[in-house]
Amino acid sequence: MRIIVSASTDTGNTKTVNQDSVTVQLLEGNGGQMAFAVLCDGMGGLQKGELASASVLCAFRRWREKRLHLLMASGFLDHEIRRDWSDIFTECNEKLKLFGRRNGVRLGTTATVMLLTPGRYFVANVGDSRAYEIQEQTRQLTKDQSVVAREVELGQVSIEQAERDPRRNILLQCVGASEEVCADFYFGIPRKDAVYMLCSDGFRHKISQGDMLAVLGPRCMDSAERMAQNEKALIRLAKERGERDNITVATMRTFG
């Protein structure tokens, strides 16, 4: 399997600081190419959101540098990824809480992490950033850890009501501002000729799944240059539609 990757971020219409952090890296493995992406959305309602998001991203980057090659040699197992990444979330949460207490601030971040290998994908999510799979249709892979998403799941509000609910940005947990962090994990088999996308809530608030399919579908994403152009086109569209938050997206396109 061959993969191409891209990522784009924008401060947005009203913010002076971009509190989002993103990285997507193409890797060579024994069985073919792999991709590793991390997207973190620092909490705008808290202080030092950019520090929180960058700290979590750097922790996962260190994991890639020190641990990934060992897993490549032994084979990827769901429980090992779950253990490693859960440990990272716990460690980051404790460090950010300690930093906050020492400096008299509160800080936190969402985090969506994805490792895409030829035979398996691994996703972890804390908060309300998201991962999607785009092929003939757009499929959301993650569930938001938010008050409104929980009420939708319980049948207390509709999806349409949730999109307008003033509580839609209230999270059940985030890294750095929660007593404990428990990530949701998702595992699956990657599809060929598909696009895997990570995004912050600032990206998808104003961009529909239909927009994602039309602009980021695999037919439109045949080179890294076109991927970047299409990402930026949807970021501009989100801004034109009045999005006020930072806007960030990362894409990974698979080929058969």
Side-chain angles (χ1 to χ4, degrees):
M1 184 171 68
R2 187 167 66 90
I3 306 172
I4 52 178
V5 302
S6 180
S8 301
T9 187
D10 192 282
T11 304
N13 287 321
T14 61
K15 301 291 183 70
T16 58
V17 175
N18 192 341
Q19 295 184 315
D20 292 354
S21 294
V22 64
T23 184
V24 58
Q25 298 155 323
L26 189 62
L27 308 167
E28 295 292 338
N30 296 332
Q33 290 184 318
M34 302 184 300
F36 182 60
V38 184
L39 188 149
C40 301
D41 179 357
M43 306 309 297
L46 303 179
Q47 300 163 297
K48 300 290 185 181
E50 69 278 10
L51 174 62
S53 67
S55 297
V56 174
L57 184 146
C58 288
F60 276 96
R61 182 178 288 161
R62 289 191 296 272
W63 173 86
R64 177 191 62 80
E65 294 169 350
K66 297 179 179 180
R67 177 83 170 124
L68 187 57
H69 69 283
L70 299 175
L71 296 178
M72 289 169 59
S74 63
F76 295 99
L77 297 175
D78 293 359
H79 74 272
E80 289 187 327
I81 296 292
R82 183 189 295 271
R83 180 195 61 211
D84 283 5
W85 291 4
S86 293
D87 288 346
I88 293 171
F89 284 125
T90 297
E91 182 179 353
C92 287
N93 192 53
E94 293 304 314
K95 286 183 176 179
L96 290 172
K97 287 194 300 181
L98 179 60
F99 175 89
R101 288 195 295 268
R102 288 176 173 174
N103 292 274
V105 298
R106 292 188 70 232
L107 67 168
T109 183
T110 72
T112 304
V113 185
M114 184 170 197
L115 175 63
L116 183 63
T117 77
R120 192 79 164 153
Y121 68 70
F122 310 84
V123 179
N125 187 65
V126 175
D128 64 352
S129 295
R130 291 181 180 176
Y132 290 87
E133 179 186 72
I134 308 172
Q135 200 174 46
E136 295 92 356
Q137 61 184 3
T138 302
R139 182 168 72 97
Q140 185 178 331
L141 298 178
T142 55
K143 293 182 180 180
D144 295 348
Q145 294 183 342
S146 68
V147 170
V148 171
R150 182 176 61 185
E151 293 192 355
V152 170
E153 193 170 13
L154 294 173
Q156 296 175 351
V157 299
S158 68
I159 294 176
E160 293 75 18
Q161 290 171 325
E163 292 174 351
R164 302 186 299 272
D165 196 300
R167 302 168 301 162
R168 68 178 185 175
N169 292 327
I170 301 177
L171 301 182
L172 296 175
Q173 61 175 350
C174 67
V175 185
S178 297
E179 188 60 33
E180 295 182 351
V181 168
C182 182
D184 291 329
F185 284 86
Y186 308 87
F187 308 99
I189 299 173
R191 302 174 71 183
K192 297 177 180 179
D193 298 312
V195 174
Y196 291 89
M197 181 189 77
L198 275 56
C199 67
S200 63
D201 64 340
F203 178 84
R204 46 92 175 167
H205 277 159
K206 303 294 183 180
I207 301 299
S208 69
Q209 291 195 9
D211 295 328
M212 296 174 191
L213 180 61
V215 181
L216 299 181
R219 293 182 181 179
C220 308
M221 304 279 275
D222 56 5
S223 70
E225 292 76 16
R226 285 195 70 189
M227 292 169 72
Q229 291 171 1
N230 293 347
E231 290 167 354
K232 289 178 171 60
L234 284 186
I235 287 174
R236 287 194 299 271
L237 182 59
K239 293 171 70 174
E240 290 168 4
R241 291 176 176 175
E243 179 56 48
R244 298 173 61 84
D245 203 354
N246 304 145
I247 307 168
T248 303
V249 59
T251 53
M252 295 161 279
R253 205 284 200 200
T254 65
F255 293 84

